[in-house]
Amino acid sequence: MTSAPVDVPRSMPRASRRGVLVGAAAVGAAATLPALPSLAEASVALVLPPVRPYIATPVPDVTTRHMANRFAYGYTPQLGRDIKAAGGARAWFQAQLDPASIPDAKADAFESWFPSRHHTPQENYQLGKAGGYAGEAQADQARFALLRRTYSKRQVHEVMTEFWQNHLHVNGNADKQWFYRTDWDRLMRGHALGRFDEMLQDAIVHPTMLTYLDADLSILNRSPKVPVEMLNENLGRELLELHTVGRTGGYSEAQVTDSARILTGNHVQRFTTWAYSYQPDMHVTGPVRVMGFSNLNAQRDGRPVLKDYLQYLATHPKTAERIARKLAVRFVSDTPSDALVAHLAAVFLAENTDIKATLQALVDHPEFAQSVGMKVRTPSEDLIQTLRVYGIQILKPTAPKDAANAIYYISRTAGQIPFGWGPPDGFPDSGPAWSSSSRMMGSYHVHYSLAGGWYPSTGVQYRTHASWLPQPRIRFDALVDHLCRVLLGRKSTSLLLGAACLATEQQPGNVITADTHLVKFGMPKLLGILLDTPQHLTR
């Protein structure tokens, strides 16, 4: 069989590009199949029992599918209907920028599913002392995030919340910061479609960030006869290197120290109340200079200096360029043009770091429309989209093994736990980072297991195998086409049909009913193989 070229991102390693097509070996085998007839040809050539003509399931236009794959967690038929009802992809996107106007009762209900998210920092500390609780509380926050991303009607808000939580990354498995994790999540959600300068002001002094990078330990010790600076430079450095201007910002090591001095006075009462407060006596005074920012810093209360400093960094041209590039990489391609980055940076600065305005400029740029299929889905995105297109309904958990709890372990199998990235730089957003053979095998396993409804088996509702049939009797090639349209948002191809035939030992002209072996026992292979393809694993 001669197949059309397959569009696989160049950023994907060669071995993974082969493996992702149909789960490694199927691609090579598919080439040995005899030429497969089209639906029209087959209907003439084969004598089959009467089958009602297959009316092709509608597919979205490229613009709709592209918007859904970039600014939602992937296209689904329901999302396609929502976009059409909104007046098209651009109109849907515009409406999504006002998440408060979108009813989201199902996703909002997840707030009550995990009681650990509602403990005070002091309660968390006491529970953590007993051992084992910290890991469960961290897992609950990851579960909450995965469920919201999967089922929320406010898809752009969820996507942008993940983007900013990754930019201002706090490792979910780090000590101490998990005491405040729920409040941190709410803070980031509140700023996700607001202004970056306001987000930075709040995030840098939040106790989650302070304790993660030990900035609350930076103090001026006034107890000795000669006051002594006790500086931890972690946050002062990462504020520059990761959160704002980047490594090419032009700051020196001495200025990193000044950055840490400006942050002093922000205090967390560790090991007792874990309450945040500002302590003027702990603030290091004296002249400070970081790049173009300078201040005499003469007052004990250093908060005005810190506010001016963070505003300077948030509106610095290097910060604008860094944020613009990260947005372009996330929503356009691994290698966006310098022209696109410069355009977004200019809008970011002209609009006072307004996130909505910057996103609108990105969506309206020609490079966005030209980037269809140029991004590799992360394992987390893959898991979420698999749940969405399979129509899996996760119920409120009543037992430890229920699906709402198991989703955390499934994300680990897939290869990416929310907030689980170790270093403070956040997970990479590029194809090569997520295209290893081990990642692919993890995704294949998740696709197959969820298609079969084997794990999790409680606290969840799966579609029946027979419900995937669009009509009582249908040819196999027509069924594959229907499934491609539902799962992938596009019609079948000869390569996809060939892979499906190999995986299920079917012929294109076989007539499928609810009583056939394929529907009773082979549907997980058929569903899984269609997701083990570039059409699903890229966006």
Side-chain angles (χ1 to χ4, degrees):
M1 178 179 69
T2 301
S3 60
V6 181
D7 184 14
V8 180
R10 295 181 181 178
S11 59
M12 187 178 288
R14 183 175 300 172
S16 295
R17 277 185 270 167
R18 291 197 302 269
V20 74
L21 288 174
V22 286
V27 170
T32 65
L33 284 175
L36 296 171
S38 67
L39 298 182
E41 293 169 339
S43 63
V44 174
L46 299 175
V47 178
L48 299 170
V51 175
R52 180 163 55 86
Y54 162 62
I55 300 175
T57 303
V59 294
D61 56 59
V62 173
T63 301
T64 295
R65 188 175 67 241
H66 184 47
M67 183 69 78
N69 283 337
R70 294 298 170 88
F71 279 99
Y73 282 94
Y75 173 82
T76 66
Q78 180 58 56
L79 181 55
R81 290 188 287 271
D82 292 344
I83 292 175
K84 183 177 181 180
R90 187 61 175 81
W92 172 86
F93 173 79
Q94 191 65 36
Q96 285 276 312
L97 295 180
D98 183 15
S101 68
I102 303 171
D104 206 19
K106 183 172 184 176
D108 290 342
F110 300 140
E111 288 283 350
S112 66
W113 283 24
F114 305 103
S116 68
R117 298 186 64 253
H118 304 290
H119 293 144
T120 66
Q122 188 175 25
E123 288 172 334
N124 277 332
Y125 172 61
Q126 294 300 327
L127 289 165
K129 287 172 66 176
Y133 178 77
E136 194 62 22
Q138 293 160 1
D140 279 351
Q141 186 59 46
R143 291 164 177 141
F144 173 79
L146 285 168
L147 288 170
R148 280 209 66 101
R149 294 171 190 175
T150 302
Y151 297 107
S152 177
K153 288 284 190 179
R154 302 166 182 166
Q155 282 285 289
V156 171
H157 188 235
E158 290 301 317
V159 167
M160 291 309 300
T161 296
E162 182 184 11
F163 175 86
W164 291 115
Q165 286 177 331
N166 194 52
H167 178 69
L168 295 165
H169 175 61
V170 176
N171 179 6
N173 296 314
D175 292 337
K176 302 176 291 298
Q177 58 74 36
W178 64 273
F179 301 154
Y180 312 90
R181 193 75 202 201
T182 300
D183 190 63
W184 173 254
D185 180 79
R186 289 171 181 162
L187 181 145
M188 298 304 292
R189 287 182 178 280
H191 286 296
L193 288 170
R195 283 174 39 177
F196 176 72
D197 58 348
E198 295 174 349
M199 180 192 302
L200 190 70
Q201 293 279 354
D202 288 344
I204 294 303
V205 299
H206 193 280
T208 296
M209 184 66 78
L210 293 173
T211 56
Y212 174 49
L213 294 176
D214 293 323
D216 61 309
L217 301 180
S218 285
I219 63 172
L220 178 63
N221 189 346
R222 297 183 184 276
S223 57
K225 293 181 180 179
V226 179
V228 177
E229 293 182 11
M230 302 173 63
L231 294 179
N232 184 305
E233 296 182 351
N234 286 347
L235 183 54
R237 183 182 302 278
E238 306 304 6
L239 171 61
L240 294 166
E241 181 177 322
L242 300 179
H243 304 153
T244 58
V245 296
R247 293 180 181 178
T248 62
Y251 55 87
S252 65
E253 284 298 309
Q255 291 174 358
V256 169
T257 301
D258 274 357
S259 182
R261 289 188 176 115
I262 295 170
L263 289 163
T264 56
N266 292 286
H267 178 65
V268 174
Q269 190 63 45
R270 295 189 179 209
F271 308 111
T272 54
T273 65
W274 293 92
Y276 166 82
S277 64
Y278 188 84
Q279 300 292 325
D281 285 348
M282 295 181 179
H283 176 63
V284 176
T285 57
V288 290
R289 178 175 173 268
V290 182
M291 299 181 297
F293 177 84
S294 62
N295 195 288
L296 292 177
N297 188 33
Q299 303 300 316
R300 288 282 185 90
D301 188 343
R303 283 176 289 186
V305 179
L306 175 58
K307 182 178 180 180
D308 290 346
Y309 175 51
L310 293 177
Q311 187 66 25
Y312 166 79
L313 292 178
T315 56
H316 194 283
K318 283 286 188 179
T319 300
E321 180 184 353
R322 179 169 173 76
I323 297 297
R325 187 169 296 280
K326 292 189 78 168
L327 287 169
V329 167
R330 173 66 179 81
F331 295 110
V332 180
S333 75
D334 290 355
T335 55
S337 71
D338 290 341
L340 172 60
V341 172
H343 175 64
L344 296 180
V347 173
F348 182 83
L349 292 176
E351 298 292 337
N352 297 316
T353 76
D354 185 80
I355 296 165
K356 293 180 183 178
T358 308
L359 292 178
Q360 288 168 325
L362 185 151
V363 167
D364 291 337
H365 196 278
E367 205 164 320
F368 174 72
Q370 296 164 4
S371 64
V372 175
M374 294 177 64
K375 291 291 295 181
V376 174
R377 276 199 170 101
T378 67
S380 181
E381 291 171 334
D382 174 28
L383 168 59
I384 293 165
Q385 178 61 354
T386 299
L387 292 168
R388 286 160 59 82
V389 296
Y390 280 172
I392 296 172
Q393 298 301 313
I394 295 178
L395 310 178
K396 186 174 183 178
T398 59
K401 292 184 179 180
D402 283 353
N405 294 320
I407 194 173
Y408 176 79
Y409 306 106
I410 300 172
S411 72
R412 187 166 61 187
T413 298
Q416 185 186 20
I417 299 172
F419 321 120
W421 187 258
D425 58 350
F427 67 80
D429 199 357
S430 60
W434 302 113
S435 300
S436 67
S437 57
S438 61
R439 175 266 154 96
M440 293 302 168
M441 293 307 296
S443 289
Y444 299 161
H445 178 82
V446 169
H447 298 162
Y448 185 48
S449 178
L450 288 176
W454 298 307
Y455 179 79
S457 59
T458 60
V460 62
Q461 293 176 348
Y462 294 100
R463 289 186 59 168
T464 65
H465 291 177
S467 72
W468 291 103
L469 299 178
Q471 58 193 54
R473 295 170 58 82
I474 189 170
R475 282 172 50 111
F476 181 73
D477 50 7
L479 174 61
V480 170
D481 182 66
H482 166 72
L483 292 177
C484 286
R485 290 165 180 262
V486 172
L487 299 176
L488 307 175
R490 65 190 79 201
K491 62 184 181 180
S492 180
T493 65
S494 59
L495 182 61
L496 290 171
L497 178 57
C501 288
L502 285 169
T504 60
E505 300 181 349
Q506 293 288 327
Q507 293 296 319
N510 288 356
V511 176
I512 307 300
T513 71
D515 295 324
T516 58
H517 185 276
L518 170 73
V519 175
K520 287 185 173 181
F521 306 106
M523 193 61 75
K525 286 186 178 180
L526 178 56
L527 297 175
I529 204 68
L530 295 178
L531 296 197
D532 296 347
T533 61
Q535 287 85 346
H536 171 77
L537 289 166
T538 60
R539 56 179 178 84

